[in-house]
Amino acid sequence: MLIRPRAKIVALSLRMPPGEIVIRAWHDGELALSRPVEAGGEVWREVRVRERWGWRTLYDLVAESAFEEALLRGRAQFERVQEDSRVCYTWRLGKPRGVSDREVDG
């Protein structure tokens, strides 16, 4: 997974346990994960922050394999937990249906 920074105002954690991607960020404002974007032969999602004039993209999460493309195209599970003055946002993109373990390990 390629992480392409566009604005470095939020620390981002990206873990890839077997068969899934876990994205976590802490911020005092509202964050969101975009729907999958496909253009120029790439598949990616954007981590965005809400600002006064709209949404601003902080990072692009770009797939580097067919398996990662399938994960990014899949449905994200979302969790939001208040921790003092900041909020922890977690998105999980699980193992897509129809993908074999060989493709995950390969």
Side-chain angles (χ1 to χ4, degrees):
M1 183 71 56
L2 173 66
I3 301 172
R4 197 167 30 207
R6 306 246 313 256
K8 299 176 185 177
I9 62 169
V10 173
L12 186 71
S13 165
L14 179 72
R15 292 184 303 119
M16 294 186 72
E20 69 178 332
I21 298 171
V22 179
I23 304 143
R24 183 170 286 155
W26 291 263
H27 193 49
D28 52 358
E30 184 180 357
L31 298 179
L33 185 66
S34 75
R35 292 179 184 205
V37 178
E38 298 184 44
E42 291 184 325
V43 176
W44 72 90
R45 283 187 184 239
E46 299 170 346
V47 176
R48 300 174 178 167
V49 63
R50 182 185 297 271
E51 296 184 340
R52 285 178 283 173
W53 58 87
W55 291 95
R56 177 179 173 192
T57 300
L58 303 176
Y59 295 95
D60 293 333
L61 306 174
V62 184
E64 295 184 293
S65 69
F67 174 70
E68 290 177 356
E69 285 180 9
L71 285 175
L72 289 179
R73 286 184 182 114
R75 185 167 182 236
Q77 298 175 12
F78 171 69
E79 181 180 4
R80 181 179 187 263
V81 177
Q82 184 77 38
E83 295 180 1
D84 298 320
S85 64
R86 304 193 88 172
V87 179
C88 176
Y89 294 86
T90 304
W91 298 275
R92 292 179 185 278
L93 298 152
K95 180 178 171 183
R97 293 181 184 163
V99 173
S100 70
D101 288 338
R102 240 179 282 136
E103 289 175 281
V104 173
D105 296 335

